[in-house]
């Protein structure tokens, strides 16, 4: 592996634009790998004529612009992956498997592979697909993207609407020596968010709060009469207090699972930093929240969420909710079902999470949870630990599949 710092950004969306622009501005060799040929060609054409501009909005300051040029945008993993010290996934979790299988043979044994976000089960999937190589590389998984961001002009301009104060990621160190994980990633992002390492990778799985978007979706549309609406309702700022209460109950279930892990394996999995969702909001959006007295107000007065609406699709007579959006199609199989799998291994009851899974799978036409068991026909499309043969807590902690 070369001595220079080489970053490969996997993806072509808003997060990939923002990360590529911020890192390239720091003098890092940045390669962008998107498996969509049209995206790669379009972005490459733009870069021949234009620099990539990242517009950064910061609290109580005028927007600032960061301009730079990634070194490469390609569809070819053989060009993008070899010699990359750090490989960061900014793509939806639903396509992590495709990317991992495509790049697996080109990943060096001293690479740092990062899910930004990784979402629940990223470590299980990496270990399964990369096989023996997974024991050499280091794997990090972060709870979310560092920012709320939107592409304004593809390949040319992206806007960061808000930046988190802190971002926590888990680290599974491999046998090989990699670039210093947190120090390297902090260089890419700049001074904020402040990156922190969790005490154990299960902390990131639990604190991905994968119930969050499904619960808001449920709260708005559970009693929908099927008639089109005239406009897309606000997503975060449009929640009611009943939805906020449901969010808190789901957060309580996360805390119960963390407590159970601590009781069963305190010396192997320190989850003492797991916190409830209201605490997390106050910590990560301190400068964006106008009123933080409770969870409801912490969400509805969060300036980073201003104007963001429910995913909708146009139909005759108006608009209707898009139940094929990532808030269900990604965050159930790559999030809530994974958490449910961990709860199942520990024997912890999570009725509110179950309710969201059952409602969401019906809207999606999928089947994960049947009669309270993760035995549905679509379970192999999820990242729950049981899918990969991790059916005991010991197997989950060590990565050695259950017999």
């Amino acid at each position: 592996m070369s001595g220079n710092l080489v970053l490969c950004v996997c993806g072509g969306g808003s997060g990939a634009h923002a990360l590529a622009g911020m890192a390239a501005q720091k003098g890092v060799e940045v390669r962008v790998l998107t498996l969509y040929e049209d995206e790669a060609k379009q972005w490459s054409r733009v870069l021949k004529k234009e620099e990539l501009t990242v517009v950064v909005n910061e609290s109580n300051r005028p927007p600032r612009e960061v301009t730079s040029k990634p070194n490469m945008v390609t569809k070819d993993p053989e060009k993008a992956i070899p010699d990359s010290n750090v490989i960061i996934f900014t793509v939806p979790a639903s396509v992590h498997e495709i990317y991992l299988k495509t790049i697996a043979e080109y990943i060096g044994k001293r690479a740092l592979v990062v899910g930004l976000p990784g979402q629940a089960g990223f470590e299980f999937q990496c270990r399964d697909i990369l096989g023996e190589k997974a024991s050499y590389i280091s794997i990090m998984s972060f709870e979310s993207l560092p920012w709320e961001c939107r592409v304004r002009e593809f390949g040319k301009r992206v806007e960061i609407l808000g930046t988190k104060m802190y971002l926590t990621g888990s680290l599974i160190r491999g046998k090989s020596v990699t670039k210093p994980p947190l120090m390297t990633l902090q260089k890419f992002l700049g001074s904020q968010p402040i990156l922190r390492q969790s005490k154990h990778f299960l902390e990131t799985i639990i604190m991905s709060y994968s119930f969050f978007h499904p619960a808001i979706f449920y709260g708005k549309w559970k009693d929908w009469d099927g008639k089109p609406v005239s406009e897309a309702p606000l997503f975060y700022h449009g929640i009611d207090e009943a939805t906020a209460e449901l969010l808190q109950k789901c957060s309580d279930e996360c805390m119960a699972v963390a407590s159970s892990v601590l009781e069963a394996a305190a010396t192997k999995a320190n989850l003492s930093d797991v916190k409830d969702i209201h605490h997390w909001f106050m910590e990560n959006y301190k400068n964006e929240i106008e009123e933080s007295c409770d969870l409801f107000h912490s969400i509805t007065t969060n300036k980073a969420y201003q104007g963001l609406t429910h995913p909708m699709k146009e139909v005759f007579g108006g608009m209707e909710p898009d139940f094929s959006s990532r808030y269900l199609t990604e965050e159930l199989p790559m999030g809530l079902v994974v958490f449910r799998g961990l709860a199942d291994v520990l024997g912890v009851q999570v009725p509110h999470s179950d309710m969201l899974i059952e409602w969401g799978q019906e809207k999606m036409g999928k089947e994960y949870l049947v009669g309270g068991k993760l035995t549905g026909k679509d379970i192999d499309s999820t990242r729950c630990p049981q899918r990969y043969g991790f059916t005991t807590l010991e197997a989950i902690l060590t990565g050695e599949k259950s017999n």
Side-chain angles (χ1 to χ4, degrees):
M1 185 170 286
S2 66
N4 296 327
L5 184 55
V6 181
L7 164 66
C8 181
V9 179
C10 294
S14 298
H17 277 70
L19 178 58
M22 296 298 283
Q25 189 261 346
K26 302 292 175 57
V28 176
E29 180 180 338
V30 177
R31 306 169 182 177
V32 178
L33 175 68
T34 171
L35 298 184
Y36 296 98
E37 187 172 4
D38 290 346
E39 284 188 350
K41 288 181 177 179
Q42 182 182 353
W43 197 341
S44 293
R45 284 196 300 266
V46 172
L47 281 179
K48 289 179 181 178
K49 301 177 181 178
E50 307 276 357
E51 289 189 311
L52 174 60
T53 298
V54 183
V55 180
V56 183
N57 292 281
E58 299 172 305
S59 296
N60 304 318
R61 295 181 183 178
R64 62 183 175 93
E65 294 189 354
V66 174
T67 58
S68 62
K69 271 196 175 186
N71 298 75
M72 172 196 306
V73 180
T74 181
K75 179 182 179 290
D76 186 352
E78 193 171 2
K79 293 179 180 178
I81 299 299
D83 295 325
S84 290
N85 310 96
V86 184
I87 302 164
I88 299 182
F89 289 77
T90 62
V91 293
S94 56
V95 294
H96 282 175
E97 183 171 355
I98 297 171
Y99 272 83
L100 278 168
K101 288 181 175 179
T102 301
I103 71 176
E105 65 178 293
Y106 305 109
I107 297 176
K109 287 187 175 181
R110 295 180 63 184
L112 171 65
V113 176
V114 183
L116 190 69
Q119 291 200 237
F122 182 70
E123 297 87 353
F124 304 145
Q125 194 169 61
C126 286
R127 284 169 160 173
D128 183 67
I129 293 174
L130 299 181
E132 183 185 1
K133 189 180 288 186
S135 67
Y136 289 91
I137 67 168
S138 291
I139 302 169
M140 289 203 78
S141 180
F142 284 87
E143 57 196 349
S144 68
L145 275 170
W147 330 273
E148 293 286 342
C149 53
R150 295 290 183 273
V151 169
R152 299 307 184 193
E153 295 180 73
F154 188 83
K156 182 179 178 181
R157 194 174 186 86
V158 61
E159 182 174 8
I160 292 177
L161 303 171
T163 301
K164 293 178 173 63
M165 288 286 293
Y166 302 95
L167 191 65
T168 300
S170 63
L171 173 63
I172 298 177
R173 290 189 182 275
K175 298 175 185 176
S176 300
V177 178
T178 67
K179 294 288 185 180
L182 286 187
M183 185 185 302
T184 301
L185 297 178
Q186 194 74 68
K187 177 177 180 177
F188 299 157
L189 301 180
S191 60
Q192 281 193 327
I194 297 170
L195 300 180
R196 301 189 299 196
Q197 182 182 325
S198 65
K199 293 178 178 176
H200 196 271
F201 80 91
L202 288 184
E203 178 183 318
T204 306
I205 290 179
I206 294 169
M207 287 184 59
S208 66
Y209 302 129
S210 49
F211 59 82
F212 186 63
H213 292 118
I216 294 177
F217 220 20
Y218 169 86
K220 181 63 182 178
W221 303 108
K222 68 181 188 304
D223 298 321
W224 180 51
D225 60 8
K227 297 178 180 178
V229 297
S230 59
E231 61 182 9
L234 292 174
F235 192 78
Y236 303 99
H237 286 187
I239 70 168
D240 56 20
E241 295 205 18
T243 299
E245 184 178 348
L246 173 59
L247 289 167
Q248 186 60 60
K249 289 177 178 177
C250 289
S251 178
D252 292 343
E253 291 177 350
C254 290
M255 298 298 292
V257 167
S259 295
S260 182
V261 174
L262 279 170
E263 290 174 8
T267 60
K268 297 180 180 179
N270 187 343
L271 301 184
S272 58
D273 284 345
V274 172
K275 56 184 68 72
D276 78 3
I277 193 168
H278 184 210
H279 185 163
W280 182 90
F281 261 99
M282 290 190 295
E283 184 175 89
N284 285 275
Y285 287 102
K286 180 180 179 180
N287 294 333
E288 309 291 336
I289 294 172
E290 295 178 352
E291 189 175 346
S292 61
C293 59
D294 56 25
L295 180 59
F296 172 73
H297 288 92
S298 294
I299 296 171
T300 57
T301 68
N302 187 335
K303 291 181 286 186
Y305 293 152
Q306 185 69 43
L308 299 178
T309 61
H310 277 260
M312 307 293 285
K313 56 184 180 182
E314 294 185 2
V315 296
F316 180 76
M319 309 177 78
E320 65 180 26
D322 184 1
F323 293 123
S324 66
S325 80
R326 67 178 181 85
Y327 291 153
L328 293 183
T329 60
E330 180 176 329
E331 298 198 21
L332 258 67
M334 309 298 165
L336 199 51
V337 173
V338 184
F339 170 74
R340 178 58 168 77
L342 177 59
D344 190 54
V345 167
L346 294 162
V348 177
Q349 299 298 308
V350 287
H352 298 95
S353 297
D354 284 357
M355 178 185 69
L356 292 177
I357 293 172
E358 290 169 348
W359 179 81
Q361 68 184 14
E362 188 272 327
K363 296 300 180 186
M364 295 163 56
K366 298 290 185 178
E367 186 180 84
Y368 309 121
L369 192 63
V370 178
K373 302 290 184 182
L374 290 171
T375 56
K377 61 181 178 61
D378 297 302
I379 202 66
D380 282 346
S381 66
T382 75
R383 293 202 303 206
C384 71
Q386 290 84 348
R387 173 195 172 184
Y388 302 109
F390 305 125
T391 57
T392 67
L393 183 57
E394 183 68 16
I396 288 171
L397 295 176
T398 63
E400 297 179 6
K401 297 185 179 184
S402 311
N403 294 325

